């Protein structure tokens, strides 16, 4: 923080580029301090409301005071309290109590720190998914439009990044769409599988609330149900330690990592197609591709997606390690790690989805280049049909395959080593004329004079 009387120079401090450079305002807010601590206060309100409805001596005046100060957060005071107490939750309990003096005695009643901490995390994760899902759906929609538009445009397919058989521009795009549809289902499932931690105590039992309600189990169970519903969840985890199981975080980041893999593959394909000059991402009128090479049209949006997708894919290792080392009911070595990895995963997913939407809305196709590449490779693409025709005419499939393989390699050598044209068809024609036709003449009577048709 800046010294008293001085303005803080934000340019003199590191800021995560995920927020300062890339992320959407809504996702940045979702992981903000204001959202976090505002949610803590709402959770304290839900708890007080539910406890009051079940008979604890909490007044309407106390509830109204809490309601009036949900967003009246003195962050400076909270920071000072935390510096003194070395405990973030109690710092905010004191800060909330300061502006709610009448309700001070019942704030956080019966609860443990993870009541606000973990339940807030689950709310933020749920809200994060709700921000990502429409963006992913829009990307799928844009790519579907592109696939439909170019459904019938032939393009050279590649396996091992070597020329293969024909596909279409639209069909290739459908490969991308199918992966993203799987991601859409995975994100929806992960969101819907999230439950509330609920109203549980320091080791996951409800002993403190049983004491408050004088051993009335039904009231404690109803308290849990009421607060869970107020927070917008249909279910709470039946069993927790002090925290909800950190395996939940693994499931959340795993589906985001999978989304990252899909987007990395899509944008890698686009980068390769840009090199072939068949398809390019949008390129602005005044955009500069290189400070040294004015002709460059670098696929920088796709490169950004690949760069950030790699980061997203690695983040799942954090919750895997964290879940593995949680001792008994919990250890605090999860906290600092989760502050980083959960936020960064959603921020990164948000960024690459927004960028991919921009790419998918402005993809540029160059049909003449695509057509020229097909013509260059068309002779080789005919090999499978030639082999099948030779077999139908009575040839042995393996012998035919070997001969065509040799002829195609010879033609490839002309192209690669001599810079000549592809003469594969001429070589096949010569082979059929000089070797196959003479071999079939003795069987002409049995073939009904159909040698030329067979050839």
């Amino acid at each position: 923080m800046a010294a008293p009387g001085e303005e803080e120079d934000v340019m003199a401090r590191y800021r995560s580029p995920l927020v300062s450079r890339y992320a959407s305002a809504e996702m940045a807010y979702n992981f903000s301090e204001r959202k976090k601590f505002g949610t803590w206060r709402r959770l304290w309100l839900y708890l007080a409301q539910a406890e009051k409805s079940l008979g604890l001596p909490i007044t309407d005046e106390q509830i109204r005071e809490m309601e009036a100060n949900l967003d009246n957060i003195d962050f400076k005071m909270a920071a000072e309290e935390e510096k003194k107490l070395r405990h973030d939750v109690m710092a905010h309990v004191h800060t909330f109590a300061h502006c709610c003096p009448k309700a001070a005695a019942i704030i956080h009643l019966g609860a443990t720190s993870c009541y606000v901490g973990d339940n807030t995390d689950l709310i933020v994760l749920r809200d994060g998914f709700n921000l990502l899902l429409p963006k992913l759906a829009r990307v799928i929609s844009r790519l579907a439009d592109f696939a439909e538009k170019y459904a019938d445009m032939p393009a050279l397919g590649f396996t091992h990044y070597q020329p293969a058989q024909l596909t279409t521009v639209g069909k290739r795009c459908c490969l991308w769409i199918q992966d993203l549809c799987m991601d859409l289902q995975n994100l929806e499932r992960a969101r819907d599988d999230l439950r509330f931690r609920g109203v549980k105590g320091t080791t996951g039992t409800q002993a403190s609330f049983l004491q408050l309600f004088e051993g009335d189990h039904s009231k404690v169970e109803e308290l849990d149900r009421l607060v869970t519903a107020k927070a917008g969840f249909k279910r709470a985890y039946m069993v927790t330690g002090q925290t909800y199981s950190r395996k939940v975080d693994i499931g959340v980041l795993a589906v985001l990592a999978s989304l990252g893999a899909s987007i990395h593959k899509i944008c890698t394909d686009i980068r390769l197609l840009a090199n072939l000059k068949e398809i390019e991402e949008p390129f602005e009128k005044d955009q500069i591709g290189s400070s040294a090479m004015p002709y460059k049209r670098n696929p920088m949006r796709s490169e950004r997606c690949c760069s950030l997708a790699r980061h997203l894919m690695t983040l799942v290792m954090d919750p895997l390690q964290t879940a593995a080392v949680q001792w008994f009911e919990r250890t605090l070595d999860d906290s600092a790690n989760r502050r980083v990895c959960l936020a960064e995963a959603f921020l990164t997913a948000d960024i690459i989805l927004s960028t991919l939407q921009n790419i998918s809305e402005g993809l540029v196709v160059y049909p003449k280049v695509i057509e020229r590449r097909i013509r260059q490779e068309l002779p080789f693409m005919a090999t499978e049909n030639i082999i099948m025709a030779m077999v139908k005419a009575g040839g042995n499939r393996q012998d035919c395959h070997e001969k065509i393989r040799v002829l195609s390699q010879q033609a490839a050598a002309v192209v690669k080593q001599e810079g000549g044209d592809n003469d594969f068809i001429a070589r096949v024609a010569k082979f059929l004329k000089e070797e196959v036709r003479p071999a079939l003449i003795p069987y002409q009577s049995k073939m009904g004079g159909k040698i030329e048709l067979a050839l």
Side-chain angles (χ1 to χ4, degrees), residues 167-187:
T167 182
T168 74
V169 173
K171 162 64 169 57
R172 176 179 283 146
C173 182
C174 287
L175 296 175
W176 306 339
I177 294 169
Q178 179 171 255
D179 286 352
L180 293 176
C181 285
M182 294 180 192
D183 293 314
L184 186 71
Q185 292 176 330
N186 289 339
L187 263 65

Side-chain angles (χ1 to χ4, degrees), residues 313-325:
M313 289 186 282
T314 65
L315 288 173
V316 71
M317 291 305 301
D318 280 338
L320 283 168
Q321 298 279 356
T322 296
V325 300

Side-chain angles (χ1 to χ4, degrees), residues 28-99:
Y29 174 76
N30 190 50
F31 287 92
S32 69
E33 299 287 271
R34 185 168 295 281
K35 167 77 177 276
K36 175 181 177 179
F37 298 126
T39 303
W40 283 13
R41 291 192 174 189
R42 283 162 176 78
L43 287 168
W44 282 320
L45 174 64
Y46 300 156
L47 180 63
Q49 288 172 331
E51 288 173 337
K52 177 181 182 297
S53 71
L54 292 170
L56 291 189
I58 297 172
T59 67
D60 290 336
E61 186 178 23
Q62 289 172 316
I63 296 295
R64 287 194 297 270
E65 189 178 53
M66 293 174 72
E67 290 173 334
N69 287 280
L70 292 175
D71 297 309
N72 179 27
I73 303 174
D74 187 337
F75 287 100
K76 183 178 179 180
M77 178 181 179
E80 292 170 350
E81 287 289 323
E82 185 173 354
K83 186 176 181 179
K84 178 175 63 177
L85 301 174
R86 309 298 296 177
H87 196 289
D88 57 349
V89 173
M90 286 308 300
H92 277 271
V93 168
H94 289 184
T95 303
F96 195 18
H98 180 75
C99 56

Side-chain angles (χ1 to χ4, degrees), residues 119-348:
N119 282 325
T120 292
D121 287 343
L122 290 162
I123 290 170
V124 167
L125 295 179
R126 178 197 65 194
D127 293 350
F129 278 127
N130 285 336
L131 290 173
L132 292 179
L133 283 164
K135 295 189 176 188
L136 178 52
R138 280 195 294 273
V139 170
I140 292 171
S141 175
R142 303 301 189 270
L143 289 175
D145 292 341
F146 179 85
E148 185 175 15
K149 181 177 180 180
Y150 293 100
D152 299 327
M153 179 177 287
L156 181 62
F158 292 91
T159 57
H160 313 274
Y161 199 41
Q162 299 300 311
Q165 293 293 305
L166 288 178
T167 182
T168 74
V169 173
K171 162 64 169 57
R172 176 179 283 146
C173 182
C174 287
L175 296 175
W176 306 339
I177 294 169
Q178 179 171 255
D179 286 352
L180 293 176
C181 285
M182 294 180 192
D183 293 314
L184 186 71
Q185 292 176 330
N186 289 339
L187 263 65
E188 287 179 336
R189 174 184 50 77
R191 178 200 60 188
D192 295 344
D193 283 349
L194 287 174
R195 301 187 185 191
F196 201 53
R197 177 192 176 273
V199 181
K200 300 176 180 68
T202 56
T203 58
T205 71
Q206 295 178 309
S208 59
F209 295 102
L210 272 173
Q211 184 175 359
L212 281 174
F213 288 102
E214 299 179 346
D216 190 330
H217 285 265
S218 63
K219 284 191 174 182
V220 174
E221 291 174 357
E222 181 63 14
L223 177 71
D224 206 352
R225 284 193 292 270
L226 285 172
V227 176
T228 297
K230 285 176 179 292
F233 286 84
K234 295 179 180 179
R235 299 173 298 172
Y237 293 108
M238 293 181 65
V239 177
T240 72
Q242 188 173 97
T243 69
Y244 67 79
S245 171
R246 294 311 184 215
K247 286 185 71 68
V248 174
D249 296 342
I250 296 173
V252 169
L253 265 65
V255 298
L256 296 181
S258 181
L259 172 65
S262 298
I263 293 178
H264 197 293
K265 182 266 191 295
I266 292 168
C267 291
T268 299
D269 284 355
I270 293 171
R271 292 165 66 190
L272 293 171
L273 289 167
N275 174 260
L276 297 175
K277 297 181 174 60
E278 293 190 5
I279 292 178
E280 288 183 343
E281 66 177 38
F283 196 87
E284 307 301 332
K285 178 183 177 182
D286 297 322
Q287 183 175 331
I288 296 174
S290 168
S291 62
M293 295 169 281
Y295 59 87
K296 293 289 289 293
R297 292 173 65 92
N298 299 332
M300 47 84 68
R301 293 174 177 86
S302 298
E303 290 174 310
R304 181 192 305 159
C305 283
C306 289
S307 181
L308 291 172
R310 290 199 305 274
H311 178 61
L312 178 55
M313 289 186 282
T314 65
L315 288 173
V316 71
M317 291 305 301
D318 280 338
L320 283 168
Q321 298 279 356
T322 296
V325 300
Q326 288 299 286
W327 303 346
F328 301 112
E329 280 66 45
R330 83 85 56 101
T331 52
L332 194 59
D333 58 349
D334 64 340
S335 180
N337 185 286
R338 295 176 69 252
R339 289 175 192 265
V340 176
C341 70
L342 295 180
E344 288 200 352
F346 278 86
L347 288 165
T348 306

Side-chain angles (χ1 to χ4, degrees), residues 44 441 443:
W44 282 320
I441 289 175
Y443 304 97

